[in-house]
Amino acid sequence: MEIGVVGKPNVGKSTFFSAATLVDVDIANYPFTTIDANVGVTYAITEHPCKELGCQPNPQNYEYRDGKALIPIKMIDVAGLVPGAHEGRGLGNKFLDDLRMASALIHVVDVTGKTDAEGQPTDHHDPVEDIEFLEREIDYWIYGILHKNWEKFAKRIKLQHIKLAQAIADQLTGIGVSEEDAFEAIHKLGLDNDPTKWSDEDLLAFVRELRKINKPIIIAANKADAAADAQIERLIKKGKSRGYIVVPTSAAAELTLRKAAKAGFIDYVPGSSDFKILKPMSGKQEKALMLIKEKVLDRFGSTGVQEVINRATFELLRLIPVYPVEDEHKLTDQFGNVLPHVHLLPKGSTPRALAYKVHTDLGETFLYAVNARTHRRVGEDYELEFNDIIKIVATAR
């Protein structure tokens, strides 16, 4: 799974990425600081089962800290986007190519309105316009891929009796569109299964719906510490009316806190509302941290960065963490490690899906599973739940 960090130049996009991953990137007050995509690892953070069960885990593919699981997720910081990107303006082609396989997008918006559509300083920009223009650029990018050969494509589907959703998915496989995505968009809009009957307006409506399904977006209302409450509330209200989650965010504050924690000056868990000073620092450093506490943590409850990542993972993408084990009583693998692995699966997934995630052979030879919490046998129709601990039983090959 990959999450893309997107937005126009100069809104704090690369700062958000750096804060989330602690990857050093160029951060400067001019457009197109990011030219080549930066790639790093961030973490979705959630309560760990051991906090409830009183165990001590031995994590192998995730991290454990203070009763929480830190689950790694690939993150990509793409080139800044300007209006007309789908036509190649700015670094448009580069931007769109970089986000092809992203499962979800974090749209970083300057909630203060002090960055215009081109990424230049201003005092009178409406950040709601940024939400609309990102939608428009992605929509017309996908529309362009389909529209250029649509007439010939539609006739072939009709003549050869090809499944429409599968044919569209084949056309858009390069941006991660599945047959299920296409099918859902077609039927949600009630479009005709004969694509020769689609108008240009039908195709654009389909693309818009497909974008919502295949590239869901969460809004990071960045620079919130420099914004008035009314500015933030307006963006939240407008975003909500368009179906978005909007989170007040200060990427710069989060980056400062994470760097201070990495240097050992403070104890700070991303997403927390406070931090603990561990060792002496200069007066300037301590003053900066106290300012973050007052202007950001006390005001918003956190910097918002971790909340954006968590909500993108668990709410937007509707993923759930599940822990496979070999011994359902000791909660261990074959080597005695307690809850060593966690996998993120779509809500509604079954134990067989988990088995395939662990290993293809395990999925193919799946018999049944055991819920380690209840010690009850469950079949392949059982829907996995958040933080389930599951033993897979399979036949021998």
Side-chain angles (χ1 to χ4, degrees), residues 15 39 44 68 71 124 137-138 173 204 283 337 343 353 373 376:
T15 304
V39 180
K68 296 183 183 295
I71 306 170
H124 308 292
E137 293 302 330
I138 297 175
T173 187
L204 187 55
N337 295 307
H343 295 284
R373 291 178 181 275
R376 290 181 179 175

Side-chain angles (χ1 to χ4, degrees), residues 203-280:
L203 183 57
L204 187 55
F206 166 76
V207 163
R208 285 175 177 146
E209 194 60 42
L210 184 65
R211 182 251 307 156
K212 294 175 187 176
I213 296 166
N214 181 254
K215 296 283 184 279
I217 299 169
I218 185 170
I219 309 295
N222 198 34
K223 306 184 183 181
D225 49 316
D229 289 344
Q231 290 176 299
I232 297 168
E233 288 165 9
R234 179 176 179 273
L235 187 61
I236 290 174
K237 184 178 179 180
K238 291 286 187 178
K240 191 175 181 180
S241 72
R242 301 179 73 88
Y244 291 112
I245 300 166
V246 181
V247 180
T249 305
S250 175
E254 180 71 13
L255 182 58
T256 299
L257 291 172
R258 292 207 191 193
K259 284 187 172 181
K262 186 178 181 181
F265 287 109
I266 62 172
D267 179 20
Y268 171 68
V269 178
S272 298
S273 60
D274 204 353
F275 56 85
K276 180 181 178 182
I277 295 177
L278 298 178
K279 64 182 183 182

Side-chain angles (χ1 to χ4, degrees), residues 138-170:
I138 297 175
D139 289 346
Y140 278 100
W141 169 52
I142 300 172
Y143 178 81
I145 296 171
L146 290 175
H147 185 260
K148 61 183 177 182
N149 293 313
W150 183 257
E151 191 174 337
K152 186 187 296 184
F153 170 78
K155 287 179 180 177
R156 182 173 64 86
I157 289 171
K158 184 176 181 179
L159 288 172
Q160 297 180 11
H161 304 289
I162 301 170
K163 288 171 65 178
L164 177 56
Q166 181 58 62
I168 290 174
D170 289 343

Side-chain angles (χ1 to χ4, degrees), residues 36 95 357 363 391:
D36 295 318
F95 167 89
K357 193 84 169 177
K391 174 183 178 177

Side-chain angles (χ1 to χ4, degrees), residues 172-199:
L172 298 176
T173 187
I175 61 172
V177 172
S178 68
E179 181 179 353
E180 292 76 15
D181 293 340
F183 181 86
E184 183 180 343
I186 291 166
H187 285 268
K188 199 163 185 179
L189 295 173
L191 293 171
D192 199 296
N193 281 321
D194 178 358
T196 63
K197 295 180 180 179
W198 287 21
S199 65

Side-chain angles (χ1 to χ4, degrees), residues 1-4 99-105 213-216 317:
M1 187 186 72
E2 181 177 295
I3 293 180
L99 62 77
R100 283 178 180 273
M101 299 309 292
S103 302
L105 304 176
I213 296 166
N214 181 254
K215 296 283 184 279
L317 292 172

